[in-house]
Amino acid sequence: MLLNQITNLNWISVLLAFVIYFILGALWFTLFFKKQYAISLGKENQLPKKPAPIFIIGPAICSLVITIASAILIYALNINTTSAAIEFALVVGVGFLVANTINIAINPNMPRPIYYGIISGSYHLVGIFIVSIILVSMK
C-alpha cells in the first residue's frame, strides 16, 4: 500500500523539497546558528575545519530519505490541503524528527544535549514544514 505510492509521486516536487531542505540545513548550521551549534557540540573555541565529505553527503542522503518518506505518507494519507500539510509536518516533525534528534543527542559524548537537540530539532521541524507544504502544493 505505502510503497505503491512511489509511482504516484511528483518527483519534481520531491527534488525541489529535498534541495530546499538540504540548503536550509547548510545555512542553519554554518550561517544562522553557527556559533550556537559549535557551543552545543563543545567546540566553540575551535577554529572551523573544512568538513569531510561524509558531513555533506550524509546529511544530503538523510534529507532525501526524509523527503521521499514524507511524500509517500502524504500521498498514502491523501493529504491535499495546506492546513493538512501543516498538521502532518507538526506530527512528523515533533513526533519523529525532533524527538529522535533529542534522543540521539542524549549521550555521554554530547556536552550540551538539550541545546543541541533544540538547534538541530528546530532545523528538522522547520525543514519538514517546508517539505510538506511543497509536496502538497505541487501534488
Side-chain angles (χ1 to χ4, degrees):
M1 170 180 110
L2 289 175
L3 292 180
N4 292 339
Q5 296 300 323
I6 288 177
T7 59
N8 298 325
L9 301 182
N10 175 344
W11 287 96
I12 302 287
S13 71
V14 171
L15 180 62
L16 177 63
F18 154 68
V19 168
I20 292 173
Y21 190 19
F22 180 68
I23 290 171
L24 175 66
L27 294 172
W28 196 274
F29 296 106
T30 64
L31 184 64
F32 303 150
F33 297 99
K34 181 178 183 174
K35 182 179 178 182
Q36 295 87 342
Y37 184 60
I39 291 169
S40 76
L41 296 171
K43 298 182 179 202
E44 63 271 20
N45 296 320
Q46 296 179 12
L47 293 174
K49 299 182 232 175
K50 181 180 178 190
I54 192 168
F55 297 109
I56 298 167
I57 296 167
I61 292 169
C62 291
S63 297
L64 180 60
V65 169
I66 291 167
T67 303
I68 293 170
S70 296
I72 290 169
L73 290 171
I74 284 169
Y75 277 71
L77 295 170
N78 200 27
I79 295 171
N80 294 312
T81 65
T82 302
S83 62
I86 291 169
E87 186 178 357
F88 172 83
L90 188 61
V91 170
V92 170
V94 173
F96 293 110
L97 299 174
V98 173
N100 195 44
T101 299
I102 292 172
N103 188 48
I104 289 167
I106 299 172
N107 73 69
N109 297 316
M110 189 67 65
R112 303 204 47 202
I114 302 303
Y115 194 44
Y116 173 88
I118 291 168
I119 293 165
S120 295
S122 59
Y123 152 66
H124 285 294
L125 187 58
V126 170
I128 200 65
F129 270 98
I130 293 168
V131 164
S132 299
I133 290 168
I134 290 170
L135 294 173
V136 169
S137 66
M138 294 179 69
K139 195 171 173 189

